Structure formats: C-alpha cells, structure tokens
Amino acid sequence: MIRMPATGTASGGDPFVSTSLPVIACAPQGEMLKFKHTCGLLELTMKGTATIKKVQMASEKVISGSASVEYASDEPVLTVVGTGNASSDTKITYTYTDGVALTAEGTKLYFGLPVGTHDLTFTFTDTDGNSMVKTAKGLKIDRAVITSSELEYAPAVAEVTDLSANGSYANCYVVQAAGSY
C-alpha cells in the first residue's frame, strides 16, 4: 500500500510541491531492481504576472488517499481507493510557502496523477487573495509520461469603487450601495 497525499507544501518556488509520483520495483533475487513509474505527470505552464500561493485540484475520481499497485505485468497498475471521505479523496491542495511567481513566458507547475482520463477543476489563488477557476475535461494521463497544458492566469477581481477618484478626500464616507470601495 502507498499513500497519495491530499496536500503538499513547497518552499523556494519548488514547482513539484511534494507531488506524489510513486514508483515500484521488482526483480528476481540477485538481479538489479527495475523501477517503474505508476503515475503520470501533468505539466501546467502558467502565464501571467501574479504570484500563486495555492492550487486546489478537484476530480470526479478518487485521486488521494490509500492506493495499491498491481505489478503482475511489465506495466504496474495503481488503484487509488482513498480514505472513505469523498470530499477529501477527490481533491488535492498544494500550498507554496513562498509563492510561485508567474511570468509572461510561463512558469511550469507539476502535478502527479493516476493513469486515466480525468475531468479536473483547478482553483488557483494568488498572494493578493484573488482566484481563478479553470476546468480541464478529458485530460489523458499516461504512466511515466509528461502531459503538457498551458493557462493564462486571469483572476476574477472584484470591481472596486474609488471614493476619492475626483480628488476629494475624507476621513469618513457614507456608502449607500453594496460593493467594494
């Protein structure tokens, strides 16, 4: 049994964030072990100017919790069974200690995923508290293969009304409508 983490933390801009990429090895006695990957890797190139603090990846399938590997053939098969808590077994949250600064050229983030076709919903949160939700449908992940995708980070930012836009300033304002000021 192995464990697919439900959360990960990294520092120094490490794009892998404790990504779960379990490997397994088998060999007849006296021979060298031959390690095989059991998952695939999603390489997500993010473009923008923000600093990403947190990424939550949600799936319709179980992607975290307890897992087992069947290694009867040359290609190991990973089966994630989870913990029995559907709300946490279908989500993985990655937190970046120092944040990951995005660039116009693109910054790569990596996520380990079980082999198969996934419908994933990503929620990206930057250091300013803004967030963006993106969905990837039919994302095919193969064992020991890097699957690449690209996104432009464009968070939904609430419209803000500047009460001193006309150059008059006050130490107190009366606001008569809902909104951000």
Side-chain angles (χ1 to χ4, degrees), residues 116-131:
T117 302
H118 298 272
D119 291 339
L120 300 172
T121 300
F122 291 92
T123 303
F124 302 93
T125 305
D126 63 31
T127 53
D128 293 330
N130 300 314
S131 62

PDB file of all heavy atoms in Angstrom, residues 116-131:
ATOM      1  N   GLY A 116      -5.123   7.520 -16.417  1.00  0.00           N
ATOM      2  CA  GLY A 116      -6.528   7.504 -16.821  1.00  0.00           C
ATOM      3  C   GLY A 116      -6.937   8.827 -17.433  1.00  0.00           C
ATOM      4  O   GLY A 116      -6.120   9.730 -17.622  1.00  0.00           O
ATOM      5  N   THR A 117      -8.212   8.949 -17.741  1.00  0.00           N
ATOM      6  CA  THR A 117      -8.769  10.185 -18.276  1.00  0.00           C
ATOM      7  C   THR A 117      -9.472  10.912 -17.145  1.00  0.00           C
ATOM      8  O   THR A 117     -10.299  10.338 -16.448  1.00  0.00           O
ATOM      9  CB  THR A 117      -9.745   9.889 -19.431  1.00  0.00           C
ATOM     10  OG1 THR A 117      -9.027   9.156 -20.440  1.00  0.00           O
ATOM     11  CG2 THR A 117     -10.278  11.161 -20.041  1.00  0.00           C
ATOM     12  N   HIS A 118      -9.118  12.177 -16.964  1.00  0.00           N
ATOM     13  CA  HIS A 118      -9.613  12.957 -15.832  1.00  0.00           C
ATOM     14  C   HIS A 118     -10.356  14.205 -16.294  1.00  0.00           C
ATOM     15  O   HIS A 118      -9.974  14.833 -17.277  1.00  0.00           O
ATOM     16  CB  HIS A 118      -8.450  13.411 -14.936  1.00  0.00           C
ATOM     17  CG  HIS A 118      -7.685  12.294 -14.321  1.00  0.00           C
ATOM     18  ND1 HIS A 118      -8.045  11.727 -13.123  1.00  0.00           N
ATOM     19  CD2 HIS A 118      -6.573  11.632 -14.723  1.00  0.00           C
ATOM     20  CE1 HIS A 118      -7.188  10.770 -12.815  1.00  0.00           C
ATOM     21  NE2 HIS A 118      -6.293  10.699 -13.773  1.00  0.00           N
ATOM     22  N   ASP A 119     -11.410  14.554 -15.564  1.00  0.00           N
ATOM     23  CA  ASP A 119     -12.047  15.856 -15.640  1.00  0.00           C
ATOM     24  C   ASP A 119     -11.633  16.561 -14.355  1.00  0.00           C
ATOM     25  O   ASP A 119     -12.031  16.152 -13.267  1.00  0.00           O
ATOM     26  CB  ASP A 119     -13.578  15.748 -15.714  1.00  0.00           C
ATOM     27  CG  ASP A 119     -14.053  15.158 -17.032  1.00  0.00           C
ATOM     28  OD1 ASP A 119     -13.299  15.187 -18.013  1.00  0.00           O
ATOM     29  OD2 ASP A 119     -15.194  14.658 -17.071  1.00  0.00           O
ATOM     30  N   LEU A 120     -10.818  17.601 -14.486  1.00  0.00           N
ATOM     31  CA  LEU A 120     -10.259  18.275 -13.317  1.00  0.00           C
ATOM     32  C   LEU A 120     -10.708  19.728 -13.256  1.00  0.00           C
ATOM     33  O   LEU A 120     -10.834  20.384 -14.285  1.00  0.00           O
ATOM     34  CB  LEU A 120      -8.726  18.251 -13.363  1.00  0.00           C
ATOM     35  CG  LEU A 120      -8.073  16.877 -13.375  1.00  0.00           C
ATOM     36  CD1 LEU A 120      -6.576  17.011 -13.628  1.00  0.00           C
ATOM     37  CD2 LEU A 120      -8.321  16.162 -12.058  1.00  0.00           C
ATOM     38  N   THR A 121     -10.930  20.213 -12.054  1.00  0.00           N
ATOM     39  CA  THR A 121     -11.211  21.623 -11.827  1.00  0.00           C
ATOM     40  C   THR A 121     -10.107  22.168 -10.936  1.00  0.00           C
ATOM     41  O   THR A 121      -9.894  21.666  -9.833  1.00  0.00           O
ATOM     42  CB  THR A 121     -12.584  21.826 -11.165  1.00  0.00           C
ATOM     43  OG1 THR A 121     -13.584  21.290 -12.023  1.00  0.00           O
ATOM     44  CG2 THR A 121     -12.864  23.307 -10.932  1.00  0.00           C
ATOM     45  N   PHE A 122      -9.392  23.171 -11.452  1.00  0.00           N
ATOM     46  CA  PHE A 122      -8.305  23.811 -10.716  1.00  0.00           C
ATOM     47  C   PHE A 122      -8.792  25.139 -10.162  1.00  0.00           C
ATOM     48  O   PHE A 122      -9.431  25.912 -10.871  1.00  0.00           O
ATOM     49  CB  PHE A 122      -7.115  24.090 -11.635  1.00  0.00           C
ATOM     50  CG  PHE A 122      -6.393  22.857 -12.088  1.00  0.00           C
ATOM     51  CD1 PHE A 122      -6.741  22.230 -13.266  1.00  0.00           C
ATOM     52  CD2 PHE A 122      -5.361  22.336 -11.328  1.00  0.00           C
ATOM     53  CE1 PHE A 122      -6.071  21.097 -13.695  1.00  0.00           C
ATOM     54  CE2 PHE A 122      -4.688  21.201 -11.742  1.00  0.00           C
ATOM     55  CZ  PHE A 122      -5.044  20.574 -12.928  1.00  0.00           C
ATOM     56  N   THR A 123      -8.459  25.406  -8.903  1.00  0.00           N
ATOM     57  CA  THR A 123      -8.690  26.724  -8.311  1.00  0.00           C
ATOM     58  C   THR A 123      -7.324  27.265  -7.920  1.00  0.00           C
ATOM     59  O   THR A 123      -6.647  26.690  -7.068  1.00  0.00           O
ATOM     60  CB  THR A 123      -9.607  26.645  -7.080  1.00  0.00           C
ATOM     61  OG1 THR A 123     -10.844  26.036  -7.460  1.00  0.00           O
ATOM     62  CG2 THR A 123      -9.877  28.039  -6.512  1.00  0.00           C
ATOM     63  N   PHE A 124      -6.907  28.333  -8.588  1.00  0.00           N
ATOM     64  CA  PHE A 124      -5.622  28.980  -8.323  1.00  0.00           C
ATOM     65  C   PHE A 124      -5.876  30.214  -7.466  1.00  0.00           C
ATOM     66  O   PHE A 124      -6.772  30.997  -7.766  1.00  0.00           O
ATOM     67  CB  PHE A 124      -4.959  29.413  -9.634  1.00  0.00           C
ATOM     68  CG  PHE A 124      -4.735  28.284 -10.589  1.00  0.00           C
ATOM     69  CD1 PHE A 124      -5.673  27.993 -11.560  1.00  0.00           C
ATOM     70  CD2 PHE A 124      -3.581  27.517 -10.523  1.00  0.00           C
ATOM     71  CE1 PHE A 124      -5.479  26.950 -12.454  1.00  0.00           C
ATOM     72  CE2 PHE A 124      -3.379  26.472 -11.412  1.00  0.00           C
ATOM     73  CZ  PHE A 124      -4.329  26.185 -12.379  1.00  0.00           C
ATOM     74  N   THR A 125      -5.086  30.403  -6.410  1.00  0.00           N
ATOM     75  CA  THR A 125      -5.219  31.571  -5.545  1.00  0.00           C
ATOM     76  C   THR A 125      -3.861  32.256  -5.470  1.00  0.00           C
ATOM     77  O   THR A 125      -2.846  31.602  -5.215  1.00  0.00           O
ATOM     78  CB  THR A 125      -5.685  31.163  -4.133  1.00  0.00           C
ATOM     79  OG1 THR A 125      -6.895  30.420  -4.240  1.00  0.00           O
ATOM     80  CG2 THR A 125      -5.919  32.388  -3.263  1.00  0.00           C
ATOM     81  N   ASP A 126      -3.856  33.574  -5.699  1.00  0.00           N
ATOM     82  CA  ASP A 126      -2.595  34.302  -5.648  1.00  0.00           C
ATOM     83  C   ASP A 126      -2.374  34.932  -4.272  1.00  0.00           C
ATOM     84  O   ASP A 126      -3.227  34.838  -3.392  1.00  0.00           O
ATOM     85  CB  ASP A 126      -2.500  35.335  -6.778  1.00  0.00           C
ATOM     86  CG  ASP A 126      -3.551  36.433  -6.707  1.00  0.00           C
ATOM     87  OD1 ASP A 126      -3.981  36.798  -5.601  1.00  0.00           O
ATOM     88  OD2 ASP A 126      -3.931  36.943  -7.781  1.00  0.00           O
ATOM     89  N   THR A 127      -1.218  35.552  -4.099  1.00  0.00           N
ATOM     90  CA  THR A 127      -0.852  36.115  -2.799  1.00  0.00           C
ATOM     91  C   THR A 127      -1.710  37.325  -2.421  1.00  0.00           C
ATOM     92  O   THR A 127      -1.733  37.721  -1.259  1.00  0.00           O
ATOM     93  CB  THR A 127       0.633  36.520  -2.761  1.00  0.00           C
ATOM     94  OG1 THR A 127       0.910  37.373  -3.881  1.00  0.00           O
ATOM     95  CG2 THR A 127       1.535  35.295  -2.823  1.00  0.00           C
ATOM     96  N   ASP A 128      -2.437  37.906  -3.380  1.00  0.00           N
ATOM     97  CA  ASP A 128      -3.347  39.025  -3.095  1.00  0.00           C
ATOM     98  C   ASP A 128      -4.748  38.539  -2.719  1.00  0.00           C
ATOM     99  O   ASP A 128      -5.629  39.347  -2.457  1.00  0.00           O
ATOM    100  CB  ASP A 128      -3.448  39.964  -4.302  1.00  0.00           C
ATOM    101  CG  ASP A 128      -2.139  40.679  -4.576  1.00  0.00           C
ATOM    102  OD1 ASP A 128      -1.376  40.922  -3.614  1.00  0.00           O
ATOM    103  OD2 ASP A 128      -1.864  40.991  -5.753  1.00  0.00           O
ATOM    104  N   GLY A 129      -4.960  37.217  -2.740  1.00  0.00           N
ATOM    105  CA  GLY A 129      -6.264  36.658  -2.389  1.00  0.00           C
ATOM    106  C   GLY A 129      -7.211  36.522  -3.565  1.00  0.00           C
ATOM    107  O   GLY A 129      -8.339  36.066  -3.408  1.00  0.00           O
ATOM    108  N   ASN A 130      -6.774  36.904  -4.771  1.00  0.00           N
ATOM    109  CA  ASN A 130      -7.596  36.726  -5.967  1.00  0.00           C
ATOM    110  C   ASN A 130      -7.546  35.266  -6.393  1.00  0.00           C
ATOM    111  O   ASN A 130      -6.571  34.560  -6.113  1.00  0.00           O
ATOM    112  CB  ASN A 130      -7.086  37.615  -7.105  1.00  0.00           C
ATOM    113  CG  ASN A 130      -7.110  39.071  -6.746  1.00  0.00           C
ATOM    114  OD1 ASN A 130      -8.091  39.570  -6.211  1.00  0.00           O
ATOM    115  ND2 ASN A 130      -6.014  39.767  -7.009  1.00  0.00           N
ATOM    116  N   SER A 131      -8.570  34.798  -7.085  1.00  0.00           N
ATOM    117  CA  SER A 131      -8.554  33.408  -7.518  1.00  0.00           C
ATOM    118  C   SER A 131      -9.136  33.258  -8.914  1.00  0.00           C
ATOM    119  O   SER A 131      -9.838  34.132  -9.422  1.00  0.00           O
ATOM    120  CB  SER A 131      -9.309  32.517  -6.535  1.00  0.00           C
ATOM    121  OG  SER A 131     -10.659  32.897  -6.474  1.00  0.00           O
TER     122      SER A 131
END
